Amino acid sequence: MHIPSAATSELELLGFREALERSGKSGGYDPERWLYVPDFYTEYRYILGTRGTNPLICIGINPSTAAPDDLDNTLKSVERIALGRGFDSFIMFNVYAQRATNPDDMEQEMNLRLHQENMKAFEYVLQQSEDFPSVWAAWGNIIEMRAYLKTCVQDMIQIGERYDARWYTAGKRSKRGHPHHPLYLRKDSPLDPFDIREYCQCCL
């Protein structure tokens, strides 16, 4: 089980571009199939997914222990739904890039540099779609656990607008209005259009 060993501000972080350039060189997985940045297990993760021209981009809160060929149940569900809805690939992205099995262990204060590098990763992810990027908000009530997560989402909205991103949810929203987590959804669960700006105004 992963527990953060230190605040990310105490770590020597790889910027997204540098991590992307190194990706696929550490071995242990097929880089022609997988997109994994950084491509080794560490305290943070920018991207994990499969390669394609029509990915479903799923947005969680923070990454856990999953890696190529070793998906956890949440990512197995994400892949199942992506393929079930006609996408050729999936990309798991997160509002905040710090790894923590238990979201309670996320750092109390946002590491601005980690966030900025994560937003570079988000822009890269959006560029992987040949058409309008399909972004699935799937973070559940965990979005309320840290105040800085709203700021992260607002920055993602602005970046998404530059690429005409289309936002969706799957499954019933929570009583607080937050999008359903991917776990336990059927592979034929519909993707419902999601007004992300209205959501930020009323629910965050």
Side-chain angles (χ1 to χ4, degrees), residues 33-144:
R33 178 172 184 244
W34 292 100
L35 183 60
Y36 186 38
V37 186
D39 70 348
F40 55 90
Y41 195 90
T42 188
E43 295 285 324
Y44 57 97
R45 189 187 76 211
Y46 297 122
I47 300 171
L48 173 58
T50 51
R51 296 184 182 273
T53 59
N54 182 32
L56 177 59
I57 303 163
C58 182
I59 312 295
I61 285 295
N62 69 302
S64 186
T65 60
D69 300 313
D70 188 20
L71 301 182
D72 57 23
N73 289 334
T74 295
L75 268 76
K76 288 177 182 177
S77 181
V78 171
E79 182 175 39
R80 185 168 60 247
I81 290 171
L83 299 180
R85 302 313 303 172
F87 296 89
D88 66 357
S89 54
F90 80 94
I91 295 175
M92 188 72 210
F93 189 78
N94 291 279
V95 175
Y96 195 63
Q98 183 192 28
R99 259 193 169 110
T101 305
N102 185 342
D104 281 329
D105 294 325
M106 280 191 298
E107 49 203 359
Q108 296 293 326
E109 301 295 331
M110 179 175 69
N111 179 340
L112 181 58
R113 178 165 182 256
L114 181 62
H115 169 61
Q116 290 171 337
E117 296 301 326
N118 201 40
M119 293 302 97
K120 294 176 185 176
F122 185 55
E123 186 161 10
Y124 173 82
V125 164
L126 295 175
Q127 293 169 351
Q128 302 313 297
S129 300
E130 289 188 345
D131 203 348
F132 302 109
S134 296
V135 182
W136 170 18
W139 47 71
N141 289 334
I142 302 172
I143 192 75
E144 297 182 359

Side-chain angles (χ1 to χ4, degrees), residues 43 90 93 100 111 121 128 152-153 172 178 186 192 199:
E43 295 285 324
F90 80 94
F93 189 78
N111 179 340
Q128 302 313 297
C152 297
V153 171
K172 186 177 179 181
H178 301 306
R186 294 164 50 101
D192 301 313
Y199 163 76

